[in-house]
Amino acid sequence: MLDPELLERITARRAELDKLEELLAKQLAEVRTERDELAVAERVLERVSEQLAGERASAAPMPGQVGGQAVMLIPHRTSGVEEVTLPPDYQRILAAVRQAAGPVMAREVGEVVGVDVSVKAKLEPLRSKLVRLVDRGWLRKLPDGRFTTRL
């Protein structure tokens, strides 16, 4: 005949193991669910990264064509782009704005770079270049129309 005390201990241990198995099965299900969610998140991240890389590549300045000739586009100012990548006339414009004691009008920049500021038709192309430098992040245009360097 079996010892009743031993039988009771076996039954109690079996109940403990059943509870532990139930808890572990629940935890395993939660782990599997989280792993599935992470796999989905990883795929979404890869797709978004690829999409952003494609958008960056398409937004990068590329040489244009005018009259069958390649023209130099003004690159956007980013951490990897140096001022020397700008055409020489744009470099001179930037230098003139930097050398000024404060914000300057297009006319003042024209005087420094050698543009005949008495002729409006000669000043407007310079103003256009200044605005292009603003658009690309090289300069800043104040509300009063003066130009200054970026901080």
Side-chain angles (χ1 to χ4, degrees):
M1 178 153 237
L2 295 174
D3 183 6
E5 186 178 311
L6 187 56
L7 200 52
E8 187 177 316
R9 286 175 54 197
I10 290 172
T11 305
R13 182 66 179 146
R14 183 166 292 161
E16 286 176 17
L17 291 175
D18 287 345
K19 286 182 183 178
L20 182 58
E21 180 182 26
E22 186 179 314
L23 177 65
L24 290 174
K26 182 179 175 187
Q27 287 179 343
L28 181 61
E30 290 172 358
V31 165
R32 286 181 176 155
T33 299
E34 189 172 345
R35 280 183 137 185
D36 291 344
E37 290 171 354
L38 286 174
V40 169
E42 190 174 33
R43 286 193 301 268
V44 168
L45 180 61
E46 286 173 3
R47 286 182 189 154
V48 169
S49 295
E50 289 170 2
Q51 182 179 1
L52 286 175
E55 288 175 5
R56 282 189 199 115
S58 66
M62 297 173 56
Q65 292 278 327
V66 174
Q69 291 186 330
V71 293
M72 170 85 71
L73 297 179
I74 306 308
H76 288 273
R77 182 179 180 202
T78 59
S79 60
V81 178
E82 298 293 326
E83 189 176 313
V84 294
T85 60
L86 294 172
D89 53 335
Y90 284 86
Q91 290 180 33
R92 283 191 302 276
I93 292 168
L94 273 177
V97 174
R98 281 202 182 101
Q99 291 169 0
V104 292
M105 297 298 289
R107 177 177 303 279
E108 296 168 89
V109 175
E111 290 170 353
V112 173
V113 297
V115 172
D116 183 2
V117 295
S118 64
V119 180
K120 186 173 182 176
K122 296 201 179 206
L123 192 58
E124 285 310 308
L126 173 64
R127 189 180 324 279
S128 175
K129 288 179 181 181
L130 285 160
V131 169
R132 192 168 298 120
L133 287 169
V134 169
D135 292 342
R136 303 300 197 286
W138 294 96
L139 292 177
R140 200 164 49 109
K141 186 175 182 181
L142 302 177
D144 64 0
R146 295 180 301 158
F147 298 89
T148 186
T149 56
R150 306 271 318 161
L151 297 176

